Amino acid sequence: QVQLVESGGGLVQPGGSLRLSCAASGSRFSIYTMGWYRQAPGKQRELVATITSRGNTNYRDSVKGRFTISRDNAKNTVYLQMNSLKTEDTALYYCNTPGAEGSVYDWGKGTLVTVSS
């Protein structure tokens, strides 16, 4: 049973933009804080951004001012708007629930973002 489906990734040049989407299943999506994660080849998975049930957001320093996380509870969907993309942003991007990863929601397949000229 697929619970999280990420989409919107692709190939973009440095300085470009992408918007990622994560569609969640279940009836209590609006209760959970949601987050975007990324994992580059040979590196640990890292938390990129979070958004609480009330809409408060937080970002890791490397993306602050460039990325914006948002959510639409009526659609059970979280978004990640990525602007001014850098080659260092290249990674497989996932969504999940911080603090309960793999418990509330199984990990999805992610969506690949490649920033290259």
Side-chain angles (χ1 to χ4, degrees):
Q1 175 67 27
V2 176
Q3 291 189 278
L4 296 170
V5 180
E6 301 93 345
S7 63
L11 175 64
V12 64
Q13 294 184 338
S17 297
L18 285 172
R19 190 179 78 150
L20 308 184
S21 298
C22 172
S25 64
S27 61
R28 291 194 171 275
F29 171 82
S30 62
I31 293 177
Y32 302 120
T33 293
M34 297 298 295
W36 282 97
Y37 306 73
R38 67 186 181 187
Q39 186 169 29
K43 298 183 66 177
Q44 299 266 39
R45 181 171 55 217
E46 63 183 19
L47 184 61
V48 175
T50 62
I51 183 166
T52 69
S53 60
R54 57 198 178 278
N56 292 341
T57 60
N58 209 347
Y59 304 88
R60 72 181 300 110
D61 288 342
S62 61
V63 308
K64 192 170 297 183
R66 301 188 297 119
F67 291 10
T68 302
I69 188 171
S70 61
R71 68 192 298 161
D72 186 340
N73 289 335
K75 297 181 178 180
N76 271 28
T77 302
V78 295
Y79 305 95
L80 186 67
Q81 178 66 47
M82 305 185 295
N83 299 324
S84 302
L85 282 162
K86 305 175 180 179
T87 56
E88 308 94 275
D89 298 317
T90 296
L92 191 62
Y93 283 72
Y94 302 88
C95 61
N96 217 298
T97 303
E101 301 92 337
S103 181
V104 174
Y105 294 108
D106 291 335
W107 289 100
K109 296 181 179 180
T111 185
L112 181 63
V113 172
T114 303
V115 185
S116 177
S117 59

